[in-house]
Amino acid sequence: MEHIVIIGNGIAGITCARHIRKNSDAKITVISAESDYFFSRTALMYVYMGHMKWNHLKPYEDWFWEKNRIELKKAWVETIYFEEKTLHFSSDETMKYDKLVLATGSVYNKFGWEGQDLEGVQGLVSKQDLELLEKNTKNCKKAVIIGGGLIGVELAEMLKTRNIEVTFLIREEAFWHNVLPIQDAKMISEHIKSHGVDLREKTELDKIVANENGRVKSIITNSGEEIECQLVGLCTGVKPNIDFLKHSALETDKGILVDEFLQTNIKDVYAIGDCSQLKQPLSHRKPIEAVWYAGRMMGETLAQTLTLTGNEIPYKPGNWFNSAKFFDIEYQTYGNVSAKPGDNEMHFHWQHKDNTKAITIAFDANSNKFLGINTFGIRMRHSVFDQWLSENRKIDHVLANLKQANFDPEFYTHYEKDIFKSFKENLQKA
Ligand SMILES: Cc1cc2nc3c(=O)[nH]c(=O)nc-3n(C[C@H](O)[C@H](O)[C@H](O)COP(=O)(O)OP(=O)(O)OC[C@H]3O[C@@H](n4cnc5c(N)ncnc54)[C@H](O)[C@@H]3O)c2cc1C
C-alpha cells in the first residue's frame, strides 16, 4: 500500500490528508512536533483572552483520526534523505515514504537585533509561543510590540485584556500602510489608540536591553528613546519554516519552490501552505501567501493530484480575499486595493464619522473596471464580490448594486445617502 507522509498538522497538511482519504485507501501519516492534534491557529488569541479553552481550538474530535485512518505522529523531522525516501527524526527513529508532502508552516522573523534572544522577548505563532506568553506575562506590567501587522494588533488586544500597558512600534506612517491605503490605515491607527495602546508611527527598534538577570528590561528606539518593559513582542512578519530543509537537494528560495501543481524539484515531494513558494504566481498574487484559506485550498488541490491517477490539478487560488479584526473593527478585502495606488488605480473612500466603519473601492482609471474593495466594520458577502471580480464588472455596476453585497439589511437604510454623497464628491475631485 502506498504510504503518503505529510510533515505538518496545520490547515494545509490536515486538509490534504482529509481529502486524500476521501479518494484513496493509501496509508496516511501526519507528523507534527507542535501538538498532538490539529488546532485553529487563527484562534490562539482567544485562549489567552479566556474566551475559549485550548480544547475548543480543535475542529475535530480526537476519535476522528483513527476512524479515518489518518495516523498522527508527534515528532520532529530532523533530516530528509530524499534519495532513500526516508525521514530521520530527532529521536533517531526513521520513517519511509512513497510520497511526501511538506506543510511545515511559518516561524516569526528575527532581524538580528541586539537582545532578540533575551528572556521575555518572543513572537506569537505556535502553541509553545502561547505557553511562553502565559509565563512571560505573569508579572508583566508593560510590553513593547515591534511591527505593525495582523499578529501585532492581536497581541496588543491580548495584552490589554490583562491590563498590561502596551507600546506598539510601527515603521509606517499609519498602521499596516504597507497593505492598507493611507486613509484606511489612519482610521485603524486611531482605533488602536482609542483602545489605550501607545501606538508610535515611524518608529523602529534599535536594540533590546537586558537587566542583570539576562531578562529584557527595556528597548531603545531608532531615535534613541528608552522604553522600559518586561515583554517584547516580535511581530515583524513570518517566514517559511524551512531551515531544516536548507542544504539539501530541495530547491528553496524564501520558501520551498513549487510549480503550479505544488510539486517541488524532487519527484514525489510536494509543498503546500505557508512554507511553499510558487515559482510562477498568478498576476496580482504573491509567491508566498501565508494565510489560512490559501493553505486549505492548496491542501485540497494537492490531494486531488495525489489520488486521481494521471490527473494533475493546478493550484488556482481565484480572486484574493482575506479578513481580520483590529480590536472591534472587522476588516474584509476582496480583489486588489493597493496601499499606494499608481496613476491607473482610483479609489472611492467613505468613512463614517464615528471612525469605525469605512469602505474603499479601487477601480481602473481608464477602463473603470472594478479592482477590489476594503470594508471596515461592515460585513460583506464573499460570493458577490468574487462574482463581480470574475465577471470584470465596472465600478458603476458595483456602486449600483453594493446593497446586494451587504449582510446587514439595516446598514444601507442608515448610511446609503452618506455613502453615495461621499462617492460623488470623490468622483468630482478625481
Ligand atoms: C496568531 C496568528 C493569527 C493568525 N490569524 C490569521 C487570520 O486571521 N486569517 C488568516 O488567513 N491567517 C491567519 N494566520 C495565518 C494562518 O494561521 C497560517 O497561514 C496557517 O495556519 C498556516 O497553515 P500551514 O498548514 O501552512 O502551517 P502551520 O499551521 O504552521 O503548521 C505547520 C506545522 O508543521 C510543524 N513542523 C514544521 N517543521 C516540522 C518538522 N521538521 N518536524 C515536525 N513538524 C514540523 C509545525 O510545528 C506546525 O505544527 C494567523 C497566524 C497566527 C500565528
Side-chain angles (χ1 to χ4, degrees), residues 8 11-12 32-34 41-42 75-77 103-105 241 244 274 290-292:
I11 183 67
S32 168
E34 182 183 12
R41 194 173 300 286
T42 55
W76 175 254
V77 178
T104 56
N241 183 5
F244 78 107
D274 282 18
V291 290
W292 184 263

Side-chain angles (χ1 to χ4, degrees), residues 153-196:
V153 71
E154 282 191 6
L155 184 57
E157 184 174 353
M158 291 159 74
L159 297 174
K160 289 304 282 181
T161 62
R162 304 259 179 121
N163 293 323
I164 295 168
E165 245 185 89
V166 176
T167 294
F168 192 0
L169 309 189
I170 64 173
R171 192 166 50 181
E172 293 75 25
E173 64 176 293
F175 177 77
W176 218 28
H177 180 36
N178 51 334
V179 175
L180 299 177
I182 191 68
Q183 66 277 14
D184 298 352
K186 281 191 168 160
M187 185 182 90
I188 299 301
S189 269
E190 289 312 310
H191 183 66
I192 292 171
K193 288 177 190 170
S194 77
H195 278 271

Side-chain angles (χ1 to χ4, degrees), residues 7-14 31-35 38-39 41-45 75-78 103-106 124-126 128 150-151 154 238 241 244 272-275 289-293 295 322-325:
I7 307 181
N9 70 348
I11 183 67
I14 288 298
I31 299 163
S32 168
E34 182 183 12
S35 58
F38 169 50
F39 68 93
R41 194 173 300 286
T42 55
L44 275 177
M45 68 184 292
W76 175 254
V77 178
E78 206 162 60
T104 56
S106 294
L124 177 65
V125 170
S126 66
Q128 286 70 28
L150 297 181
I151 298 179
E154 282 191 6
V238 296
N241 183 5
F244 78 107
I272 54 177
D274 282 18
C275 69
E289 290 181 337
V291 290
W292 184 263
Y293 87 90
N322 202 2
S323 63
K325 206 173 109 305

